[in-house]
Amino acid sequence: MAVFQDEKQQKKLEHLREREEEELAQILSQKYQIPYLDLTRTSINGDALRLLSEEEAKGSNVAVFGRVGKKIQVAVLSPEAPATKQMVAVLTERGFEVARFMVSHRSLARAWERYQDLSFATESKAGVFDISPEELNALVAKVKTTADIGPLINEVMEMKRVYRISRILEIILAGAIGTDGSDIHLEPEEKQVRLRYRLDGVLTDILNFDHETYKLLLSRIKLLSGLKLNVENEAQDGRFSIKIHEQEIEIRTSILPGPYGESVVLRILNPNTITVPMEELGIEPKLLAILEREIRKPNGMILTTGPTGSGKTTTLYAFLRKIHSPDIKIVTIEDPIEYHLEGIVQTQVDKKSYTFAEGLRSTLRQDPDVIMVGEIRDEEVAQTAINASLTGHLVFSTLHTNNAAGTFPRLIDLGVNPKVISSAITVAMAQRLVRKLCPQCKKERAATASEKDTINRVLATLKNKADAPKKHDTVWEGAGCKECHDGYKGRIGVFEAILADERIEAALQQNPSEREIWKAAEHQGILTMPQDGIIKVLRGVTSLDELGRVVDLS
């Protein structure tokens, strides 16, 4: 009987607490001049609820419970809370007319419970930038140079319409795609926010705008990318996609906290940039012939090295496309999958449950002919990849070293037995990307004494002097025109490679330095990056200044 009384008393207390909470919400509604509502007695519209994800709603303590066209009803717990105000502003910028209602914790929890009942069929729409393809295509057509972007954004900045922020984001994205940018950088400073594009590997200032606009823009980007709106002091990563010319372009979002606000980088993964044929990468004829032979072998390992952004992924994808055919199975292990290749099995690593090592072991059980490992980072991956190449698989991968010769000492540092390295590896490559001179405005001029000295010093190291152009005393430079970015248009690779032959195998037994590896490879006569670059300079492909920016010519 006592238990019954306790339960009855408990229910009475809960009822009192609920009534007090509702009374408090009514008092606050009068204070803030916002209508009060009890959502436990109100129907909740599923389509309205879908306007925000469950995470977004809970992160900002709101729930969208009613919708008629562009008019929406939003339940709020604390109308002056920063995350709530930010979310209401974002919904307004998306074109909705927001009516706020003061509710209790219990009401809000009841609305959030409805997320469990929603169909998952609409989830695929999350993370898709919902602007019309015609609108985006029209914007891309308008933007031919970086000078076109500023006026378009400034024109929209003066608008008072609710679509202003979405429109600014459209222009920023269309501007980057129209100028072939690879990244968009939004960098808050003390008095302003700087917008920059990375064009052909070099950051270019576009314009500056105010912090108030940036905060709304940041919220819009976070919403699209599936990031937390109420988190401002942690790094976050997300992604969304846009469609243009019937092609889906993925945008990868990276957010870092800073002293004046969160810094944003949007990386544009345009499929067009990865479809460069192997023959157009910039590989000199002798090395190209070697690679075309090696990538068709049934086993072995080809490693390409270089810093982030040096085109390693593009090169490996070019290899995969070159050898892809219906009678072989190709599996990739990537972090993350940047571009999707038809007819190839691609898997993405997860740092917690599916590492490169685990992925590689699992892949070997899938009976692949060719494996691409995104990066060799540790001893376990190195050992497994080496063993795979020794047991009938062709393996492509990347390694972080400065040059081709550094590949071998690096693998030894990772614990690979020097005796098996030369048996497993067929080619170790290194590469950099240099900007190409614009064919419309480049012009030839006489080289200065200093430039001649650099050119002659590098050419003197050539094993085969016939590789160099006969004319050594002129160089090329870009004047700059409406078709290019400061005299440059597009990029091309500068390469070097070392074959794992008998001399390299003998050198590896002595725990060699990079210098000793180069000496052992000298007889192969394959161009080094400085030699390959200087030949491209003399042929007018790039400038000496540009080559010196990415390759050590000393």
Side-chain angles (χ1 to χ4, degrees), residues 11-85:
K11 284 181 181 177
K12 193 173 182 181
L13 282 169
E14 283 176 12
H15 179 69
L16 281 170
R17 273 198 292 267
E18 286 172 2
R19 196 169 71 186
E20 284 175 4
E21 196 180 343
E22 295 304 325
E23 286 172 357
L24 176 61
Q26 288 176 28
I27 292 166
L28 290 172
S29 80
Q30 293 171 6
K31 176 185 173 183
Y32 292 114
Q33 299 295 299
I34 294 173
Y36 159 77
L37 196 67
D38 183 353
L39 286 180
T40 62
R41 301 177 181 180
T42 307
S43 64
I44 293 170
N45 182 310
D47 288 335
L49 202 62
R50 282 193 187 98
L51 290 175
L52 297 178
S53 70
E54 184 176 359
E55 193 176 45
E56 290 162 357
K58 288 181 176 179
S60 50
N61 276 323
V62 302
V64 186
F65 65 90
R67 177 181 181 181
V68 179
K70 282 290 182 180
K71 294 182 178 180
I72 59 172
Q73 296 170 309
V74 180
V76 301
L77 190 66
S78 176
E80 292 303 310
T84 301
K85 289 171 75 174

Side-chain angles (χ1 to χ4, degrees), residues 350-478:
D350 182 305
K351 288 171 186 173
K352 293 178 182 176
S353 58
Y354 186 69
T355 62
F356 273 117
E358 176 60 36
L360 189 48
R361 286 195 299 270
S362 302
T363 297
L364 289 170
R365 293 193 286 270
Q366 292 268 314
D367 187 30
D369 298 289
V370 181
I371 305 167
M372 187 189 98
V373 185
E375 186 185 342
I376 293 177
R377 295 179 179 173
D378 54 46
E379 181 179 352
E380 191 177 5
V381 178
Q383 296 279 14
T384 311
I386 289 283
N387 289 335
S389 73
L390 290 169
T391 54
H393 303 89
L394 181 60
V395 180
F396 298 142
S397 191
T398 70
L399 199 65
H400 276 291
T401 64
N402 287 326
N403 52 49
T407 303
F408 301 95
R410 175 72 179 131
L411 287 171
I412 293 170
D413 288 344
L414 286 172
V416 179
N417 185 344
K419 292 180 180 178
V420 302
I421 289 177
S422 59
S423 304
I425 292 177
T426 50
V427 183
M429 295 173 56
Q431 67 180 83
R432 300 289 188 275
L433 289 176
V434 295
R435 291 179 293 170
K436 293 193 291 185
L437 287 168
C438 171
Q440 303 296 324
C441 66
K442 70 176 182 180
K443 55 186 181 181
E444 196 173 8
R445 64 164 174 82
T448 64
S450 172
E451 288 169 338
K452 283 180 185 177
D453 181 56
T454 301
I455 291 167
N456 291 330
R457 189 176 68 253
V458 174
L459 292 181
T461 63
L462 281 172
K463 183 172 179 63
N464 185 2
K465 305 301 179 186
D467 288 335
K470 291 178 181 177
K471 197 175 180 182
H472 298 170
D473 55 355
T474 61
V475 291
W476 297 75
E477 61 185 11

Side-chain angles (χ1 to χ4, degrees), residues 202-262:
V202 178
L203 282 171
T204 305
D205 283 335
I206 304 300
L207 86 162
N208 300 320
F209 53 94
D210 61 280
H211 277 269
E212 187 181 346
T213 301
Y214 177 63
K215 283 179 183 174
L216 293 169
L217 191 59
L218 176 62
S219 298
R220 183 78 175 109
I221 291 168
K222 281 185 173 182
L223 268 175
L224 278 169
S225 308
L227 304 179
K228 294 176 182 175
L229 282 169
N230 60 333
V231 172
E232 297 179 358
N233 58 354
E234 292 177 16
Q236 296 192 73
D237 295 310
R239 59 176 60 199
F240 62 96
S241 60
I242 56 176
K243 281 192 174 180
I244 181 165
H245 300 308
E246 300 303 314
Q247 192 173 48
E248 193 165 287
I249 296 174
E250 200 166 87
I251 312 292
R252 194 177 304 148
T253 307
S254 171
I255 294 180
L256 282 178
Y260 304 114
E262 294 168 277

Side-chain angles (χ1 to χ4, degrees), residues 341-356:
L341 300 173
E342 198 172 335
I344 291 172
V345 178
Q346 293 175 273
T347 66
Q348 182 167 314
V349 302
D350 182 305
K351 288 171 186 173
K352 293 178 182 176
S353 58
Y354 186 69
T355 62
F356 273 117

